[in-house]
Every structure is written in structure tokens, then in C-alpha cells.
Amino acid sequence: WVVSGYALAFGIALVPAGRLGDAFGRRRLFLIGLVAFVACSAAAGAAPSVGWLIAARLAQGVAAGVLAPQNSALIQQLFRGPERGRAFGFFGATVGISTAVGPVVGGTLLALASGPEGWRWIFYVNVPIGVVAFVLALRLIPARESGGHGRIDVPGVLLLGIGALALLFPLVQAESGGLVRFWWCFPLGVVLLVSFLRWEKRVVRAGKDPVFDPRLVTRTRGYAPGLALGTVYFIGFSGIWLTFALYFQTGLGWTPLQSGLAVTPFAVGSASAAVVAGRLVERYGRALTVLGLAGVSVGLTATAVVVATVPPEVLGWAIVPTLLLAGIGGGFVVSPNVTLTLRDVPVEMAGSAGGALQTLQRFGGAIGTAALPGLFYLVLAHTDQRYSWAAAAALAVAVVGALAALVIGLLDWRHDRRDDARHAQRAPQDADLAREHLEFHGSHAAHP
């Protein structure tokens, strides 16, 4: 529950928090979420018992869920055109750098703060970072608020929240048999989410503000493919990190610091590529994510082969080029996909649209985090504790996820090319009509 409870609370809070940001102001919700996250981090570090720690982690997950969707919504609100792509590129680079620094800093803290209380510093470290972030946010985020009027669809929030809880709960409890014990949550969650979509359609027909407008999926170009691609990609992307940690620390006996350093090439490649991708996404569009997914697939496939065949003594160096290639591909996927998914979303819906994207990515991440380690342990039990084979099998599933996302990207790219061809064919006709229109009005102006 210390780990899974956070993920559960985070996933449930995303879409309602995005809608709250649309209604009451993204800057305001960003600051509220940041303060709550820092306070909950301090409470988790100071927890006197496991029960208090779990409660603090649940609250911390809600605070993170309030904070996260405001990021993409503020970028939507504050930037336009190519600048928006570059902003999302820097956002993706920040995520990549954090992914690289986080495990290394965590391993370093655990190495320095030895003893049974050393884990507390994993939470305390968020406090000074959060204070600095709050001061910077007050100074740098413009005070211009969104034009929402503050009405919230409470029945929609409840249907979505309970439905998301029903789907996520068995997944986050998978390691302790949750998929078997709580299987009935899946059909319940589907029924609740279908009811949520029907209710939201009624809210839209009544002219009120929904938590999530279904027209984003049916009428907004690029939004539905972006949701699908992000969800499928995160199934493999999220599960590989826990698999690597299990393999390196349990199978090879590495320290948390060594384990964190081993996966740093992926994060470095991802951060570097994300900045470049932010400048190219307006020009190349979905082709950029197709190229990135191909790189991820090749890089992870090569990593699986290296893990299965290379001796453990030199493994840390052998996976550097393959993880670097996969990371560069990943940098061309995540932030460009966010840009393309939200590109045509109306600014007044940016929070709920971004929250829905992150929620589905969270669903994909929960599935991957449950499936890949589960497969790891299954292969381990049937191969006489061959950790390298178990890790390679889990990486193979991640490759399948990347290939499935690649298929979605190719279909969307093909659709975009067809649309561009139609617009190109229609452009001369539109120009002729415009010229005839101007000539007609010009002649009537000369001869009234």
C-alpha cells in the first residue's frame, strides 16, 4: 500500500483535478497541489507507524494528481504554435532528467542515511525541492486565470472516481493476488465508466460543463489516437523499471545506487531527444513518434538479447548503447505525443483533456507494473531461477507494447497524410472561389 496506494490515489485524482483547474484557475490548483504534496511528503517522512505512512502516501497521491494535469494545461494556455511544441519538448526533457536523477539520488540517500530510519529521507528530500518550486511558481507562472465559472459536475466526478478505483484497485494489488480476489471490480468498473460517458453526454446536451467532454474523442483531430498510443506505450514503458530493479538488486545483488546508475543511459537519451523533438514536432507531426517507437522497439529488443547472453560482470557497460538508443526513441514519443494529442483541444478543456491522457497512461502503467514483474517471477519459477531469462522475457513484453503503439502511430500518420492530400487538392478550388467572390463584390462596389 505504501507504493500502490500512491499510484491508486494519483490515477483517480487526475481528471477531476484537471477539470477543477479549468474551472478555478490552473495556477491556483498548481500551487495548492504543490503545497499539499510537500506537506504530505514531510508527513510521510515523519510517520510514526505504517498506518500513518500509508495515509500520508494516499494524500500525497491525491496532491500529485491535483498538480500533474495543470502542467500540460498551463502549456496549452500560455503557448501557441511551434512555441507549444518546444515547451512540451522541455517538459519531456525535464521528465527524462528527473527519471535519470531520481533513482541515483534515491540510491545515494539510502547509502548515506544508513540504518532502519534511512528510508525517511526519501520523503524529506521533497521538502526543500518543493519550497524552491513554490517560490519559482509564484514568480514565473502568470497570474492570468482561465475563463471558467467554477461549476463542477459532481455526479460525473463520483462515477469517474469510483469507476477508476474499481479498475485500478485489482491492478495495484496484483502482487498480493488482487487480480484473482478482486476480479469482480473489472466488470463493475466498466459499467461505471460506461454510465459516466452516458451521463457526460447528457450534461453536454443540457448545455452544462462536463468533467470530461466526450466530443474530445469523437470530434478533436488526433486526440483519440493519442490516447490509445499513450496507453499502450505506457504498458511496457512503466513495467520495465521495476523489472530492472528486481533483476539488478535481487538477481545480481547490486545496490540501489548501482541499479539506478545502470538505467541512466535511457533517461539521458530520452531527455536529450525530447528537447530536439519539441523543435521538430510541428514540422514532422506523427512521423516523429513513429520514428521514436521504432527506436524504442529496436533498443529494447537489443537490451533483452544483451541481458540474456552477456555475463553479469560486464552487463552494466553492455546495456549502455542499447538503453541509450531506446531512450532516444522514447524522447521522440512521450512529449511529441502529448503535443499532437492536445494540439487541437480547446484551451478551456485543456485541464480535463490532459488529465484524461495522463489517467489512461496511468491505467497502462498499472497494467505494465503488474504484468511485467508477474511474468518475471513466472519465468523465474520455471527456469530454475534464471534471472537473466526472466528479465529478457519481461523486456520482450515491453517490446510488444512498443510495437502495438507503433501500429497505432502508423495508422494515425497515414490518416494525417490523407487529410493533408485532401486539403492540398481542395486548396486551388478554394482559391478560385475566393477570387470569384472578391471579383463579384469588387464589381458591385464599382457599379452599385
Side-chain angles (χ1 to χ4, degrees):
W1 271 98
V2 171
V3 177
S4 301
Y6 175 91
L8 187 66
F10 179 79
I12 292 172
L14 282 168
V15 176
R19 176 69 191 102
L20 285 171
D22 293 340
F24 295 104
R26 286 116 190 192
R27 181 178 186 267
R28 183 178 302 152
L29 265 291
F30 183 94
L31 294 173
I32 291 172
L34 184 56
V35 169
F37 185 84
V38 172
C40 293
S41 296
S49 66
V50 172
W52 280 102
L53 177 59
I54 291 172
R57 285 287 282 169
L58 288 170
Q60 190 185 35
V62 173
V66 171
L67 181 65
Q70 315 313 326
N71 293 319
S72 59
L74 281 166
I75 291 175
Q76 287 283 98
Q77 177 180 319
L78 297 174
F79 298 95
R80 296 288 183 275
E83 284 188 347
R84 183 180 290 174
R86 289 196 292 272
F88 275 120
F90 282 117
F91 177 68
T94 304
V95 173
I97 293 169
S98 302
T99 305
V101 172
V104 176
V105 171
T108 304
L109 285 172
L110 290 174
L112 294 175
S114 58
E117 302 296 310
W119 61 268
R120 297 183 185 276
W121 290 98
I122 296 295
F123 299 109
Y124 285 145
V125 72
N126 289 334
V127 176
I129 295 172
V131 170
V132 173
F134 184 81
V135 173
L136 291 175
L138 280 177
R139 294 189 59 182
L140 298 178
I141 299 178
R144 188 181 73 195
E145 297 290 2
S146 59
H149 43 62
R151 288 198 296 267
I152 298 298
D153 172 23
V154 176
V157 170
L158 293 176
L159 284 170
L160 176 62
I162 300 173
L165 173 64
L167 288 182
L168 280 171
F169 183 75
L171 293 171
V172 299
Q173 289 293 294
E175 194 173 339
S176 59
L179 293 175
V180 175
R181 287 187 293 136
F182 303 110
W183 64 267
W184 50 270
C185 287
F186 289 117
L188 175 63
V190 171
V191 170
L192 288 170
L193 291 182
V194 170
S195 302
F196 165 74
L197 290 175
R198 290 181 175 177
W199 172 260
E200 294 300 275
K201 290 179 181 179
R202 287 182 57 187
V203 171
V204 170
R205 286 196 298 267
K208 299 178 182 179
D209 294 322
V211 178
F212 177 78
D213 195 328
R215 293 174 296 183
L216 284 170
V217 175
T218 58
R219 300 185 187 178
T220 305
R221 179 181 175 181
Y223 188 72
L227 289 180
L229 190 151
T231 303
V232 173
Y233 178 71
F234 269 77
I235 290 175
F237 176 76
S238 300
I240 59 175
W241 309 117
L242 183 53
T243 300
F244 274 132
L246 290 170
Y247 175 49
F248 292 146
Q249 297 179 44
T250 306
L252 302 183
W254 292 3
T255 66
L257 178 57
Q258 290 172 321
S259 177
L261 289 171
V263 298
T264 299
F266 184 100
V268 171
S270 177
S272 304
V275 176
V276 177
R279 297 180 176 275
L280 299 178
V281 66
E282 285 294 324
R283 181 185 302 176
Y284 296 105
R286 185 57 74 187
L288 202 62
T289 55
V290 169
L291 178 64
L293 287 164
V296 171
S297 302
V298 173
L300 290 183
T301 300
T303 303
V305 172
V306 170
V307 165
T309 58
V310 171
E313 296 80 21
V314 295
L315 179 64
W317 295 106
I319 62 173
V320 168
T322 60
L323 282 181
L324 183 63
L325 174 59
I328 292 172
F332 282 4
V333 175
V334 179
S335 57
N337 185 59
V338 174
T339 304
L340 296 169
T341 304
L342 303 179
R343 179 172 53 187
D344 295 324
V345 170
V347 174
E348 62 272 13
M349 299 180 185
S352 56
L357 175 60
Q358 293 189 55
T359 298
L360 287 177
Q361 290 176 351
R362 176 59 55 177
F363 277 128
I367 294 170
T369 304
L372 268 66
L375 178 64
F376 178 87
Y377 284 120
L378 183 65
V379 175
L380 201 63
H382 287 80
T383 58
D384 194 24
Q385 303 296 301
R386 295 291 295 270
Y387 279 90
S388 59
W389 290 11
L395 284 170
V397 175
V399 172
V400 172
L403 290 174
L406 178 60
V407 171
I408 297 172
L410 285 169
L411 292 174
D412 190 41
W413 182 31
R414 183 180 178 186
H415 180 267
D416 285 348
R417 293 182 67 185
R418 285 179 176 176
D419 281 351
D420 292 340
R422 289 195 200 100
H423 289 311
Q425 291 176 354
R426 199 178 302 140
Q429 300 174 1
D430 293 341
D432 291 340
L433 289 173
R435 186 164 52 251
E436 292 174 6
H437 179 79
L438 289 172
E439 291 173 353
F440 173 79
H441 283 277
S443 64
H444 277 265
H447 305 285

